[in-house]
């Protein structure tokens, strides 16, 4: 009897371990590498033919493919501002924040290094091209906008970006398989708005990656490209958590 029972008893479900910390960090590094390689590569090599629209789509599509590829492993942040915004909204563990930030910055820098390698063996090598794709204000703004306009554009655009991420990844509120498309298309729209003002970063890792080769002006203004997106992301995280993630009380 016991033999029969054991023969027909269901086997315990195998325990599937989630991605390790190392796997998650590598995923963030690779995703940020793809983002920087895609958008900055398009800005350097293709913008003369495609204009701002081409660069905007390059950023949006880079994020879409990165999130589809690595989102199931790391969550697909690829942006320090996103990581901090998710953490303050209660969607990401603070203990993992520093590792993610380091992986994203390293991935972005590697993207710029590879692009620099491509440039160095081209017909005309001019490292100054990184200045033109660095984010900033005044002389670094594509249309000469000042610091005030830069801060408003980067803070508001990053906040909108975080609102979309938090919204489309909320449990039971959206089709998660379409979330990468919504996130990528949002970035495309935001670049079309903020690109002429700030060069449209919304991402400290992307800004660091170009500033390190962009010269003195890019490095001097880098603080703004780090602070503004983080402020926008933190504001969005606080507001979203307070307004939309509160338990809904049912009334008669």
């Amino acid at each position: 009897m016991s033999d029969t029972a054991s023969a027909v008893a269901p086997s315990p479900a195998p325990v599937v371990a989630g991605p390790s910390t190392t796997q998650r960090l590598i995923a963030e590094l690779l995703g940020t590498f793809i983002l920087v390689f895609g958008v900055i590569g398009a800005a350097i090599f293709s913008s003369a033919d495609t204009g701002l629209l081409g660069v905007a789509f390059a950023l949006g599509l880079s994020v879409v493919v990165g999130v589809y590829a690595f989102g199931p492993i790391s969550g697909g942040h690829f942006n320090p501002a996103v990581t901090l915004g998710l953490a303050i909204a209660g969607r990401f563990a603070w203990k993992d924040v520093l590792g993610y930030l380091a992986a994203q910055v390293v991935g972005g820098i590697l993207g710029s290094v590879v692009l620099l390698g491509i440039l160095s063996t081209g017909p005309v090598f001019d490292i100054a091209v990184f200045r033109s794709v660095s984010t900033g204000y005044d002389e670094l703004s594509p249309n000469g906008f000042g610091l005030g306009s830069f801060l408003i554009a980067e803070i508001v655009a990053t906040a909108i970006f975080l609102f979309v991420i938090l919204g489309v990844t909320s449990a039971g509120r959206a089709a998660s398989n379409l979330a990468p498309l919504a996130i990528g298309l949002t970035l495309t729209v935001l670049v079309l708005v903020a690109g002429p003002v700030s060069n449209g970063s919304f991402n400290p890792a992307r800004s660091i990656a170009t500033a390190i080769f962009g010269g003195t002006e890019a490095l001097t203004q880098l603080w703004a490209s780090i602070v503004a997106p983080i402020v926008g992301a933190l504001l969005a995280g606080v507001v979203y958590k307070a307004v939309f993630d509160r338990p809904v009380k049912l009334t008669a």
Side-chain angles (χ1 to χ4, degrees):
M1 177 68 179
S2 60
D3 291 342
T4 303
S6 62
V8 299
S11 301
V15 177
V16 180
S20 67
T21 299
T22 300
Q23 289 173 325
R24 294 167 68 198
L25 294 180
I26 293 175
E28 282 297 300
L29 185 152
L30 292 175
T32 313
F33 173 89
I34 291 172
L35 185 157
V36 170
F37 184 80
V39 66
I40 303 305
I44 291 174
F45 300 118
S46 300
S47 61
D49 299 316
T50 64
L52 179 62
L53 183 61
V55 175
F57 271 109
L59 176 58
L61 292 175
S62 295
V63 170
V64 168
V65 299
V67 174
Y68 273 125
F70 301 112
I73 300 173
S74 68
H77 300 185
F78 316 145
N79 182 337
V82 171
T83 297
L84 291 169
L86 291 175
I88 202 166
R91 301 281 192 87
F92 187 70
W94 281 104
K95 65 181 179 64
D96 296 325
V97 166
L98 286 180
Y100 266 50
L101 300 189
Q104 292 155 0
V105 171
V106 171
I109 292 174
L110 288 177
S112 281
V113 169
V114 171
L115 291 171
L116 181 61
I118 296 173
L119 281 169
S120 66
T121 57
V124 178
F125 174 58
D126 184 6
I127 195 173
V129 71
F130 278 95
R131 180 186 182 280
S132 67
V133 295
S134 294
T135 53
Y137 49 90
D138 293 336
E139 63 271 13
L140 289 184
S141 168
N143 287 344
F145 285 89
L147 177 60
S149 297
F150 173 92
L151 293 175
I152 293 171
E154 288 284 315
I155 290 173
V156 172
T158 309
I160 292 171
F161 184 42
L162 260 292
F163 277 126
V164 171
I165 291 175
L166 290 166
V168 300
T169 58
S170 295
R173 295 184 185 175
S176 60
N177 59 323
L178 296 179
L181 290 176
I183 293 169
L185 290 174
T186 299
L187 274 178
T188 300
V189 173
L190 293 176
V191 170
L192 291 175
V193 176
V197 179
S198 64
N199 254 340
S201 173
F202 333 123
N203 185 337
R206 171 258 192 261
S207 295
I208 293 171
T210 52
I212 58 174
F213 299 125
T216 302
E217 290 174 341
L219 288 172
T220 301
Q221 296 187 15
L222 180 58
W223 69 270
S225 298
I226 294 175
V227 171
I230 289 176
V231 170
L234 294 182
L235 286 174
V238 169
V239 172
Y240 195 95
K241 184 178 182 179
V243 176
F244 298 108
D245 276 351
R246 293 184 305 173
V248 178
K249 294 181 180 181
L250 297 180
T251 57

